[in-house]
Amino acid sequence: MSPPAGDESDGASGPEDSGGPAVDPAAAFASLSDPLRVDILRALAAFNRESGPESVGFADLRKRVDVRDSGRFRYHLNELRDHFVEKVDDGYRLTHAGLEIVAAILAGTYTDRGSIGPDALDSACSMCDAAVVATYENGVCTVVCESDHPLFHWHLPPAAAANATLPTVVSRAELFARQAIERGLAGVCPKCSAPVEPAVIDADDSAVPRLRVRCETCGGRLVGPVGFCLLVDPAVAAFYRRHDRPLDARHVWEPAFVADDETVDVVGRDPLRVAVEVTLDGETLAVSVDDAGRVSLRDE
């Protein structure tokens, strides 16, 4: 299933929301139809990296884009106004939507293609103990075992995979997955940031309940084992650290509470509630997960 509104990768605060009326998406994206307009957005993004949220003057911006015809440049700049660029007293700067669209352009989310692998990983399949193999193709990281058991599947922007080894790509995809699970359980869509209602449900195609986060706004979905809830839970992470096995150092498909349905036991159905046991070095942490994916310690 992108950073919270207002969070920028360079740590600088973005332009304030103008609070104006919503614009038509078709009109907004039509304003990107000329390569010069994309160049203007890139130049504004470069200025933002150099100077933070300050605005850049018309002449300076035109020089950065290297366009001699002032009238032609002004026309294309104005086509970006109100959607991705805003005019302030002494110049121009990207709107929040402009920052988001430039980030997607630079990440290659809509344009870049490529593949890495398949390569073996230092991991074994929890179902058959076969070696694990990963591939990255067209923005998707996929991990299966040599017997074709699916273990992990997640989207990763091409920029995050550029010049990286496949193990690094997998690690970054797992980071994105953990962040998406955490956001989904917090009631925020990992794709569009709209409100969502996480739920642990009895899935028709599974013998045990599953975690499901479905966004009614963008249609994004996150579906996985109940163990995903434990994967980002502080008490479970502390239990692993106490046994000198940092949970975030393990692949997301490796913990037994993710890989093994036998660790999950339904203890109530109205509302749905499941019990999960996490055992390390002979010590067991007993937790329960409610129908909204909330994890709590369980007294034995």
Side-chain angles (χ1 to χ4, degrees):
M1 275 177 81
S2 199
D7 184 27
E8 296 177 52
S9 59
D10 62 2
S13 57
E16 295 181 359
D17 187 353
S18 64
V23 298
D24 178 61
F29 283 100
S31 68
L32 299 175
S33 60
D34 191 285
L36 176 54
R37 299 173 197 171
V38 176
D39 289 343
I40 292 172
L41 294 180
R42 288 177 180 270
L44 284 168
F47 182 83
N48 186 72
R49 290 193 297 272
E50 297 166 9
S51 306
E54 300 298 322
S55 62
V56 55
F58 178 87
D60 187 6
L61 181 58
R62 181 165 65 90
K63 182 177 180 181
R64 287 169 174 266
V65 183
D66 193 23
V67 176
R68 293 186 177 182
D69 187 331
S70 176
R72 173 171 173 258
F73 180 77
R74 186 180 299 279
Y75 168 76
H76 287 289
L77 177 60
N78 285 337
E79 289 297 299
L80 294 169
R81 292 271 303 274
D82 302 325
H83 301 312
F84 305 115
V85 175
E86 64 180 349
K87 177 75 165 64
V88 292
D89 291 341
D90 46 1
Y92 298 85
R93 64 184 180 185
L94 293 171
T95 63
H96 175 71
L99 288 166
E100 292 288 308
I101 199 68
V102 170
I105 290 170
L106 296 177
T109 302
Y110 307 126
T111 55
D112 289 2
R113 295 291 183 267
S115 62
I116 310 174
D119 287 335
L121 297 178
D122 184 16
S123 182
C125 178
S126 59
M127 289 177 274
C128 67
D129 208 37
V132 170
V133 177
T135 59
Y136 177 78
E137 186 170 8
N138 297 336
V140 179
C141 177
T142 303
V143 179
V144 300
C145 77
E146 291 182 339
S147 300
D148 286 333
H149 290 131
L151 299 174
F152 180 67
H153 180 91
W154 209 265
H155 287 82
L156 185 72
N163 303 315
T165 64
L166 194 51
T168 297
V169 169
V170 173
S171 178
R172 291 172 181 171
E174 291 180 276
L175 173 61
F176 275 50
R178 286 187 171 94
Q179 292 173 337
I181 294 167
E182 191 165 12
R183 294 185 68 190
L185 288 172
V188 179
C189 174
K191 281 189 175 293
C192 74
S193 298
V196 293
E197 294 185 4
V200 174
I201 61 170
D202 278 320
D204 295 334
D205 59 349
S206 175
V208 297
R210 309 276 285 173
L211 170 67
R212 185 185 69 187
V213 179
R214 183 168 59 190
C215 181
E216 299 296 336
T217 300
C218 72
R221 298 175 72 237
L222 187 160
V223 179
V226 173
F228 274 6
C229 303
L230 280 66
L231 201 61
V232 296
D233 182 73
V236 176
F239 181 71
Y240 267 76
R241 283 197 304 271
R242 197 161 65 244
H243 288 268
D244 198 25
R245 303 182 194 182
L247 188 54
D248 57 5
R250 306 195 67 189
H251 290 300
V252 297
W253 59 85
E254 291 181 333
F257 58 77
V258 171
D260 186 1
D261 288 344
E262 296 297 321
T263 63
V264 179
D265 183 31
V266 177
V267 294
R269 292 196 177 275
D270 190 20
L272 185 67
R273 193 171 190 85
V274 301
V276 185
E277 292 189 347
V278 183
T279 302
L280 294 174
D281 304 326
E283 182 185 358
T284 298
L285 178 73
V287 302
S288 62
V289 184
D290 68 12
D291 59 348
R294 292 182 290 258
V295 179
S296 57
L297 295 178
R298 182 163 48 92
D299 294 330
E300 289 291 88

